[in-house]
Amino acid sequence: MDALPQWTSKIDKRGLDPLGMQNAGVVLYQALLPGISNITLRMRYYGFFCWLSDAYARRGVTTDFELWRQWVRRAEALFALVCADATGQVGVGGIDWAFQTLQNGDDVIDFSVAASNDASVKRYLIQSLGVFGAAYYTQMQEMGLFEPGPNGIQRVTVDAGLAAANAFRASIGSDLERMFTDTVDAARVDRATLAALHPIVPSRIPDPSDERVAYEDTLFAAGSESMATDRSRRASLSLILDVTSREGERPTPESVRWALFDSPAVALPVDLESQRLLWESYQCQDLFQVAAASLLAWAIAVMGATEEGATLAEIQAAVVARLADTDAATAGGTWADLRDATDVAAFAWRGAWTRLTGRRGSPEEKAWDAVRLVAALHRRVVVRDDLSGTIRKAIPVNGQARSIVTELRWFDRQDDRSVAEAIGEYVVQRAVLRHSWVAMQKLRRQRDYTFLFEARDGRLVSLNGYQPVPTTPRLAPAIQFLEDVHLVAPDGLTARGRALLGANR
């Protein structure tokens, strides 16, 4: 008989958000780039899926969901094979399977089995409705391209969705359309057909073309009936174009984060500055959650210093003592002194971020980085009414949720306490005990055992270390989309990108 607890097999699962503090940032960045997610990786998929739905409907109306699912999965598998054959195509669902399949050397590839939902075979993707269902449908629905249909079959909308379908159809032409659909039906493809289908790959959006214009209009909400979500996405994408213009090269998600952390030398229009403030608020939230997680990591290291672990009182005492040992003057001064002495303009924000999210150095060696980052964030919010107002509005206090708002409210009450005392209490009360609560909720609701330490005879014993993890705010796919539609290039903005940026400014 197996007498082990049901969750024992999950003992090695460790959450990325041990303080339950990342969600505030996730909710914010979702509102900043609606219709794009971290797993919607190429713009052309939006047109491809719209066309795929319309092509399916043109074959004759059916409400058999299994036939729809087979159509989607076979089309995705074929699309992956074409992209692998064309090479150089990133962000394609099933591309690893496709590369391996092509390396087998077969002249004719039967992909019917790989496109099935039979769990006993090697499939191009295990998700039931492929990358369409797992990643793209919800985002395309948010953009007004798709809507629910009968028997769970998703279908394109009659306006924006059908327009995108027709634009994709016009780009590939009737011959390739027929070749692709016939090959999906057969679920077999030869090498010559793969080569002939290369024009459908994500990097081959024609310029100029109605397809390219359709994607740009969708991303930038060119229609008169755009909603608040559309306007938010347009503002964020315009900010990325502005950063690209200033940097003179294709930006990275990291460079966009930091470029939007401060106002540019040339003032932005009011609507773009408001959006930039929201991105600054997001970055402040992410900086704070990384700092708080670093303090938790330090507490876990204190527990792990001995096999028997440590009590809460011992952890707090160790934090106070070690801060004093490494910088007695700062540790003994008040929290208000440290905060108010911080020059937020000169503070090395990016350096602190890099050290705290990097793997070099021990948690204790990073402790002062975390403390000073919290103080710098506190000062930045205190002296900036525009920022503090935006943060409060963008990140509302909600029940048991934690965020930069709740945590800075706690630090607001620590002005007269020494830095060491304030941080010692924060580590125990708002990091260690908070993690216990968060992990217990995950165990109760999800049956996931994510505790980084456990209690034994009144002492906390380390189970696993923790490395702070920043959130990923959809910037990578957003930049890729802008490149896909010929607005951004390796050397910066294209002529189209400059014209669009000028129009949006």
Side-chain angles (χ1 to χ4, degrees), residues 46-58:
Y46 286 57
F48 171 73
F49 285 128
C50 287
W51 165 77
L52 195 66
S53 172
D54 184 55
Y56 181 77
R58 292 186 180 205

Side-chain angles (χ1 to χ4, degrees), residues 217-218 220-234:
D217 288 349
T218 298
F220 287 85
S224 59
E225 298 181 358
S226 61
M227 299 182 295
T229 52
D230 297 321
R231 293 191 292 272
S232 181
R233 180 177 61 253
R234 177 174 62 202

